[in-house]
Each structure stands twice: as structure tokens, then as C-alpha cells.
């Protein structure tokens, strides 16, 4: 079996618990605070938006949290996901490094997002909720929650940024296939939407507006809660099923990673693979962690650690995180899932505690890496995942230069079958790199909320 | 493990040989004949188009043909593919039947097509060929050959029906990602293309024209051969890796199929799953086989068994098969892969020998079945595969009515992520059923070549 390429766990070995890094970090993760009072907010303050099962996880210090059996049953539709050794890529690069990846593109929606969507839908259903509202940009999260809601009998209302709604009809069709209602935002359904439409009936919308609409819907109806696809502690928690599986599979491959790599938008796919291995690092194992982000939205590499709003509309509690400022508008790139001004507080803590490194790349070099990956391994990566691949290749080439046979493990968080327009632009020479706008960052940071905590 | 959902084979158990049903059929499969002379054609007659490694397989009577190790190495990028039990669908239907499916959508191109593309690229490379030409309609085959050619260092030139080239840019982008050249057909590259363009510079093209172009390119260049994605004996042979794997996985599930189901366009995905089980039927096991086709292109259910051309342009040798006549133009439907006037001679023989049944469905009822499948099992099926799913559901409901706990196995030949326009049309109520055109069939059959054999 020494030349095995894919490592599959049998379903009985699928992890029975999620891992909570908060139990092992050197210090606490700062709590969210109320933007008006500066007071820490607890689960009860967020109860109008989220079910208690999720809010308890949000603040939990327990190391292990059981995955409910109904969630595991749905996970079994695609989990455990494969661990794959990129042997052909290794050979093409001529590197002595071993490259492994965990492939999350096998899920129904094509990315890691259903890992938390299914859990969130379950806890809502348990508490008698019959409807979920959420926002989506490119549609990865919306289609994942649509799938999860369908499984647990919940109606799902997705507010989709209008320009994406018009430009990405296939993602919308996927949401509708799973029975969700997809509404172009801004919409007349909410006060937030109506206010925008009054000023500009042809508004293209923005993720900030869509969040405001989804939150308003949830806050105003007893039977409806809101669901978020990244950033929050419970989302990172649910994603750790990725890393826990990977550990068992790396054992099957008689390997241990020297480097763990993931792309970082809100932080959840990186957290999912990395956090279980950070537990081992905190016990003394020498493992490097690299979070990879776009140069055009360099939260971890250029932002300060500060309390900030989670959304553009300044409706959310303040979270302590690396941030470019909630007013920072990341330029349009093909990696829509990495265009977020902040970073998960738990990932931010990991960087602050020196557990990980961060680096950024331009999109064109990421697509060059993605195409080389596809030509060797067959899988066409999502634009977001291509950032991780670029870092993997750079590390593999460093290993070659240094003659080191290190083991690299990364998260291939999704496939690119819904993102082929990006590849079309790349081949047509129409893809441009977006320089980082420091003036915009400084202006945005000047507007950070003043919080004394 | 009694509640296991997915059955994975370790790579060391991946089949080492393809199975050739020709060795076990009650009689010979009729050879191709020359349209002018009516004489049987052998490998040497087809040598300008295909490599000898493939042509030997085309006429082989050997029961087992070894899968070359370099082909198995590439197969390992995604094979063995999973066998999945559709437990949630069973429950939703309330059927005592057990439903299993082999999922071929995990391949790089998203369907079963790479199973033969990789083998064909390998044999061509072995014989010093440096370039492959082929045609593609919707793009499934073109992207599979692009992937395979890339792996074995062959240039691939894909003649894509112009209307699809314009309407399906994402499939084209996938081909380009794998390094292939995609040319809208009719093109100025060939005499066949130029002749059409002279008459109609804005021609939308057709599969018949694209085949003519690809064949002309291969016939006129020493370094170039042609590759076909279905119909031929060697293509059916290569696909049997599906059924051989399925047998081992059904053993893991302690199950044996009572019914094996696949959709039929050219016949290769059906053959791939069914032929290994037909071997067991010929040894005495009671297994039913159902080939499923669109009502609008009912080759197996309405066509006669006759010698006919493989292409609209009447350039190919004559093959004995169920056919609607090479002049029959199947109406436009979303299942582009099932719009073929003929059927693989080996599948045709299986039907003639009474080894299988055939039935047809309208596309709307197939999409209704596909959506129900997606809402229960997560996977969004390709429009072609939805035909198999409709038959599976009908059989499962029959089992319910009769109180029979039969075991149904089908081939989910591909995912629908590149076909979401079809789902959009379905939800928008824009999908119409196409009545079968009997007058067109009679006209087409009147034009069948007269061959005395």
C-alpha cells in the first residue's frame, strides 16, 4: 500500500466529537461586546438571532463537544471526506516534499460549508424553529444552508447580493434545487432593503446590505433564526471534523504534517483543518501553520487586532479580531469567499498567540497554481482554495531548494465547477491583479469603533 | 457497520482487468462493414483513425483484458469510485427496496467518461501519437479527453458544436484548464468545415459535422488519431471497471442486485455497470437489466436492429445496432448525452439476446425525480443520469406496492454542476416534453443503408 493515493476512513471511524481550541489556547478568546455599552455580550443577548444550542457552543470552554447522531447521519452522505496524496504534483515540481490534501469538494454543495450548515440546521430544528434566513454573496454558503435546511425540514430564505443573483444563476438554481427561496437583495421584504431601494431602485446590493436584511427577518419573526457561514466560534468548531478526520487518515498514511495550510476568508476552513493540529502543537509538536489570503484583502497580514463590527452595516456586536475595518470594501476578485474585512476571533487569537503565520498572494499567481494543480491532479480548485495551493507550491519548492523532505497538508476547501468564469477570464488574459489600497485601509481603520475593554 | 452509507474499496482492490462481454454472449457481435462493399472491416481498415492497442480490443474475444499499470495509476486519482446506499431516498419513498448507486461524478470531469479517455490516451501515447482529435456536444466527452490527453502529454483538439461552444462557456473553460484546444465547429480547419461555412457562415454546427471535422483531421495527419467517447466495443470494455468495482462493493454491503439500471445514450455507462453482472446472469443468476432512454430519442424502444452509419455525415463504417436511422435528428433536450440515433453494438446485442429490457421517459418526469433525489441524497444528478433515477424510483415504488424487498443498483453517471441551466428551466416551468416524432422516424428508417450480410 506504499503507493496509495487516497485514504478513506470507514464511516464508523468518523469523529464523534468536534474539537474546541478555546479549551487549549494560552488565554481566553475575547468575548463579543455591545457596540453602545462596551459590555461583554452573552448567549442571552444573541438569542433572538441564534438557537441556544449554537450559542452555548459559541462560549463553551469544553475541549470536546459531541456531534449529535442526526448530524453524523447527514455527514455520512459525503463524510469522511478523502485525504489525497498529490503524487503527480510532487513529481511535476520535482520536490522531495510530500503533499497531502483533504478534499472537501465532495460535499453536496461542493465545499466545506455544509459541515456547519447541517449542524446549525439541526440545532434550530431541535428548538422548534421552522425557518432560517441568511445572506450569500457568490452562493457557496447559501446553497449549503439550502441543502441543510431541506434535510431538516426548515424553510430557508437566502438574501443574495443582487449583482451575484443576476450574474450567477447556476448557484441560484442549486439553492432552488434544494428547495430554498432565493431573494435578490436589496429587497422590498425588509425595512433595510426598502430604504436602499427608495434611494436607488437599481441598486446592485452588497454583502453588508444582504446581512442586514437576513438579520432583520430573523429578528422580527419568532419562527425564524439567522445562520452565519463563517467567522463565529461555533462555525470554526463544526469545521474541526475536517482536521480530526485528517489526523486519522494521516496515520493511515504513516505521516505527520510539518506544515498545515489553508486559505483564510472568514477563517472557518483554515480553522477546521488547523485547530486539531494546533492542539498537538500546544502539546509540543513542531508544526507550522500558514493562513493564506488575497493581497487585495489582507486581513491577517495588514490589519490590526481590534474590536470591530462583523458587518458593513454596523449592526452586529463588536468582535475582537484582525480587521481591515468594517468600512473597508475589498476590491472585486474571483475569490468571493475571501473578500471579508475581518477574521474569525479564534483564528485571530491563534495568530496573536504566535501559533500560525499568514501570507498573501495576488489572484493571477493563484490561478497559475490552480491550473498546474488541475493538470496534475485532475481536480479544478475553487478560486478561494487556489490561494492555499499557491502557498503549498511555494513551500514545496522551498523544500526542493533546501533538500528537505517535509510533509505538507492543506485543505482543498472546494471545487471550481461553479467558478469557471474565473478560469475563462484567466485564459483570456482578462484577469488583473488588484494592488492593495493602503489609503483605503487607513481611512477605514480611522473609523474603527472606540471600545475601552 | 449495518448502517453504512458509502462503500469504499482500497486502491489495492481496484480491478486489474476490464471484462469483455463478447467472450460470454450467446453469439458473436456483428462486425462493422464497409458501406460500399458490404465487407466486414478489420483493425487494419480502421488503423488510420485508431491506435492498434485499441483496435485489438475492439475485436477481441478474450474475457479479461489487463488494465495497464499507467492507466490504473491515473484511475487512482479518483477510483475506486464510491458505492452509496440511498438510505434517505428509500425512506422518503417508503419502499422496502434497497437502493444502491455507483457514483461516477467523482471523476475530474464529473462523469464516467474519463474511464475510457484515460485508456485511449495511454494506447495512443504508447504508439507514438502526439495529438488526438475529437468532437464534443455539451462538452462532457471533450473535457474528459482533454484531461486524459494532458496526463499523457498529448495535444487534444476538440471540435465543439458551435452553438454549444457559445452557450456552454464553462465546459470550454474546463477543457482549456486541462490544456486542450477547443474549436467551434464548423471551422475553417477542415474541408468538411469549409464546405459548410461557404454555404452558411453563421452555421450553428451539429454533432455530425463536428465528427466529420475531427475524423478528417485524424485521417490527414500521421501524428494524430481520433478518439470516440461511446458506442464502440473498446469504450464499453473500458467502462466495465465500474461494474467490477461495484461487485466487490456490493459484497462489502452483503447485497446482490435484483435489478441493474443505467441510462443509455451511446450505451457505455450502462455497459460499464451492467456487463459484469450480465456475466453472472449468463451463469444463471436472476438479475434484471433496464436501459433507460429519452422518449424523444427512443433507440432501444422504437428502433429496429439494423446496419447503419455511426454518424450523420455517413462517413463511418456501418455498425449493426438498434438505430433510429443516421438521419434522425433527435429534438433538443437537456440530456445532450442521450441524443444519439444509434446504440453500442454490444448493448444492442444484449437486448437482442433478451438479456435486458429497455424503457423511455420524458425529460420533465426525469427532472422531478432528479430533484427528489438531490433533496434526499444531496447529489445533483446530470440530466442524463436523471433518466436512470426515474426508472429506479418507479421500480422502488413497484416494490412498495408488491411488498417486495428487492435490491436495485444503478449508475449515477455524472453530477449536474455544469447543467444547472436545465434545473433553472425546470423550476421556471420552461421545460417542455418533446413528443416522439414517428413520421420523422419512418422517414429516417426509409433511408437506412441496404446491406446484404
Amino acid at each position: 500500500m506504499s503507493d496509495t493515493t487516497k485514504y478513506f476512513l470507514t464511516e464508523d471511524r468518523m469523529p464523534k466529537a468536534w474539537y474546541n481550541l478555546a479549551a487549549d489556547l494560552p488565554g481566553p478568546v475575547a468575548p463579543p461586546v455591545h457596540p453602545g455599552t462596551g459590555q461583554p455580550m452573552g448567549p442571552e443577548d444573541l438569542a433572538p438571532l441564534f438557537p441556544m444550542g449554537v450559542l452555548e457552543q459559541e462560549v463553551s470552554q469544553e475541549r470536546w463537544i459531541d456531534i449529535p447522531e442526526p448530524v453524523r447521519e447527514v455527514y455520512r452522505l459525503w463524510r469522511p471526506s478523502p485525504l489525497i496524496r498529490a503524487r503527480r504534483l510532487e513529481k511535476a515540481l520535482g520536490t522531495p516534499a510530500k503533499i497531502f490534501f483533504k478534499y472537501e469538494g465532495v460535499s453536496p454543495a461542493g465545499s466545506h460549508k455544509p459541515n456547519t450548515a447541517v449542524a446549525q440546521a439541526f440545532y434550530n430544528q431541535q428548538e422548534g424553529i421552522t425557518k432560517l434566513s441568511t445572506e450569500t454573496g457568490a452562493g457557496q454558503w447559501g446553497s449549503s444552508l439550502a441543502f441543510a435546511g431541506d434535510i431538516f425540514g426548515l424553510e430557508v430564505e437566502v438574501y443574495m447580493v443582487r449583482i451575484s443573483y443576476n450574474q450567477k444563476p447556476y448557484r441560484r438554481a442549486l439553492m432552488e434545487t434544494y428547495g430554498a427561496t432565493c431573494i435578490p437583495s436589496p429587497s422590498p421584504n425588509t425595512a433595510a432593503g426598502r430604504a436602499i431601494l427608495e434611494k436607488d431602485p437599481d441598486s446592485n446590493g452588497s454583502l453588508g446590505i444582504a446581512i442586514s436584511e437576513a438579520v432583520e427577518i430573523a429578528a422580527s419573526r419568532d419562527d425564524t433564526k439567522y445562520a452565519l457561514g463563517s467567522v463565529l466560534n461555533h462555525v470554526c468548531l463544526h469545521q474541526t471534523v475536517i482536521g480530526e478526520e485528517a489526523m486519522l487518515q494521516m496515520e493511515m498514511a504513516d505521516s505527520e504534517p510539518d506544515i498545515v495550510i489553508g486559505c483564510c476568508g472568514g477563517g472557518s476552513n483554515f480553522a477546521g483543518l488547523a485547530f486539531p493540529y494546533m492542539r498537538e502543537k500546544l502539546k509540543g509538536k513542531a508544526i507550522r501553520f500558514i493562513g493564506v489570503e488575497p493581497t487585495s484583502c489582507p486581513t491577517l497580514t495588514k490589519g490590526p487586532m481590534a474590536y470591530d463590527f462583523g458587518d458593513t452595516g454596523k449592526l452586529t456586536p463588536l468582535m475582537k479580531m484582525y480587521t481591515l475595518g468594517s468600512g473597508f470594501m475589498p476590491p472585486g476578485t474571483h475569490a468571493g469567499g475571501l473578500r471579508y474585512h475581518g477574521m474569525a476571533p479564534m483564528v485571530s487569537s491563534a495568530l496573536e498567540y504566535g501559533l500560525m503565520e499568514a501570507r498573501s498572494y495576488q489572484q493571477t499567481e493563484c490561478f497559475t497554481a490552480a491550473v498546474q494543480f488541475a493538470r496534475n491532479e485532475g481536480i479544478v480548485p475553487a478560486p478561494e482554495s487556489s490561494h492555499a495551493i499557491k502557498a503549498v507550491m511555494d513551500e514545496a519548492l522551498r523544500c526542493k531548494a533546501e533538500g528537505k523532505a517535509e510533509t505538507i497538508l492543506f485543505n482543498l476547501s472546494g471545487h471550481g465547477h461553479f467558478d469557471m468564469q474565473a478560469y475563462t477570464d484567466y485564459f483570456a488574459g482578462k484577469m488583473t491583479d488588484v494592488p492593495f489600497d493602503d489609503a483605503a485601509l487607513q481611512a477605514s481603520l480611522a473609523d474603527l469603533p472606540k471600545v475601552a475593554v
Side-chain angles (χ1 to χ4, degrees), chain A:
Chain A
M1 291 282 285
S2 69
D3 65 345
T4 296
T5 300
K6 302 180 302 304
Y7 299 86
F8 283 104
L9 289 178
T10 51
E11 291 175 10
D12 56 330
R13 296 190 69 200
M14 189 169 70
K16 293 190 166 58
W18 293 301
Y19 167 65
N20 183 9
L21 180 65
D24 291 315
L25 279 175
V29 176
V33 305
H34 190 282
T37 66
Q39 292 302 305
M41 292 174 78
E44 62 289 349
D45 300 307
L46 296 165
L49 290 185
F50 298 100
M52 207 41 75
V54 153
L55 290 171
E56 283 165 8
Q57 295 175 350
E58 189 65 18
V59 297
S60 173
Q61 295 296 311
E62 293 295 317
R63 182 167 291 113
W64 297 101
I65 295 177
D66 286 346
I67 307 176
E69 184 47 37
V71 171
R72 296 182 81 241
E73 192 199 314
V74 180
Y75 277 180
R76 277 195 285 268
L77 288 176
W78 74 95
R79 305 207 71 86
S81 69
L83 177 80
I84 304 178
R85 181 152 170 206
R87 291 181 183 275
R88 295 181 51 85
L89 181 65
E90 291 170 14
K91 206 179 283 182
L93 295 172
T95 180
K98 288 197 281 185
I99 302 174
F100 290 90
F101 62 94
K102 185 74 170 159
Y103 184 40
E104 291 293 306
V106 296
S107 83
S111 79
H112 65 293
K113 296 278 185 190
N115 295 331
T116 185
V118 169
Q120 292 190 50
F122 167 76
Y123 289 113
N124 275 286
Q125 183 229 37
Q126 286 295 99
E127 298 180 27
I129 295 303
T130 59
K131 203 170 204 174
L132 295 175
S133 67
T134 198
E135 73 287 334
T136 202
Q140 279 277 13
W141 168 243
S143 51
S144 299
L145 194 69
F147 159 71
D150 167 54
I151 292 281
F152 287 105
L154 301 169
E155 284 180 58
V156 176
E157 215 168 285
V158 182
Y159 287 82
M160 186 170 189
V161 177
R162 184 181 295 273
I163 190 164
S164 298
Y165 181 91
N166 291 330
Q167 287 179 349
K168 293 180 186 282
Y170 291 178
R171 273 278 172 202
R172 174 156 50 100
L174 186 56
M175 291 182 238
E176 289 173 356
T177 300
Y178 293 134
T181 307
C182 191
I183 299 147
S185 165
S187 81
N189 296 10
T190 66
R194 287 189 296 271
I196 303 283
L197 289 173
E198 246 169 58
K199 286 187 221 159
D200 177 8
D202 299 323
S203 166
N204 275 331
S206 74
L207 207 52
I209 298 167
I211 293 177
S212 303
E213 291 207 277
V215 165
E216 182 182 327
I217 290 287
S220 64
R221 293 187 199 155
D222 284 346
D223 61 352
T224 305
K225 299 278 184 198
Y226 172 71
L228 193 67
S230 191
V231 181
L232 298 180
N233 300 347
H234 68 271
V235 178
C236 294
L237 174 80
H238 299 155
Q239 294 294 355
T240 59
V241 67
I242 301 172
E244 293 299 332
E245 285 180 6
M247 277 190 171
L248 300 173
Q249 289 164 308
M250 288 295 282
E251 250 173 55
M252 291 168 70
D254 278 332
S255 289
E256 287 197 90
D258 297 298
I259 315 176
V260 175
I261 296 176
C263 64
C264 286
S268 75
N269 99 73
F270 172 82
L273 179 64
F275 284 5
Y277 280 105
M278 282 191 187
R279 177 179 72 233
E280 302 306 306
K281 181 177 179 116
L282 287 162
K283 286 183 200 161
K285 276 204 180 148
I287 310 175
R288 287 173 62 204
F289 296 87
I290 307 176
V292 190
E293 56 188 15
T295 305
S296 57
C297 188
T299 314
L300 291 169
T301 51
K302 300 262 191 186
M305 181 81 161
Y307 265 103
D308 195 6
F309 293 98
D311 67 324
T312 319
K314 302 190 176 182
L315 290 172
T316 70
L318 301 178
M319 290 178 293
K320 195 170 178 192
M321 58 185 179
Y322 284 92
T323 180
L324 301 169
S326 67
F328 183 83
M329 180 60 73
T333 63
H334 286 290
L338 304 183
R339 293 179 64 235
Y340 184 65
H341 70 276
M343 184 57 60
M346 289 191 72
V347 173
S348 295
S349 289
L351 182 60
E352 197 175 34
Y353 287 126
L355 291 169
M356 62 179 283
E357 309 158 36
R359 70 173 66 162
S360 72
Y361 289 108
Q362 293 281 7
Q363 67 176 341
T364 305
E365 59 191 341
C366 293
F367 271 87
T368 302
V371 169
Q372 188 174 0
F373 184 84
R375 289 189 182 172
N376 282 285
E377 298 296 325
I379 299 167
V380 177
E384 291 81 2
S385 316
S386 75
H387 289 71
I389 291 171
K390 170 61 179 160
V392 167
M393 288 193 189
D394 279 1
E395 289 297 316
L397 292 173
R398 176 191 57 74
C399 287
K400 182 182 182 177
E402 297 176 357
K404 287 185 182 163
E406 296 179 17
T407 297
I408 304 170
L409 170 64
F410 76 100
N411 197 358
L412 184 44
S413 53
H415 67 62
H417 290 177
F418 287 98
D419 306 285
M420 295 312 295
Q421 185 59 48
Y423 284 88
T424 300
D425 289 357
Y426 173 77
F427 288 116
K430 287 186 194 161
M431 184 177 287
T432 50
D433 284 337
V434 186
F436 169 64
D437 186 345
D438 193 59
L441 173 63
Q442 297 313 322
S444 163
L445 292 179
D447 195 38
L448 277 180
K450 311 291 179 279
V451 185
V453 275

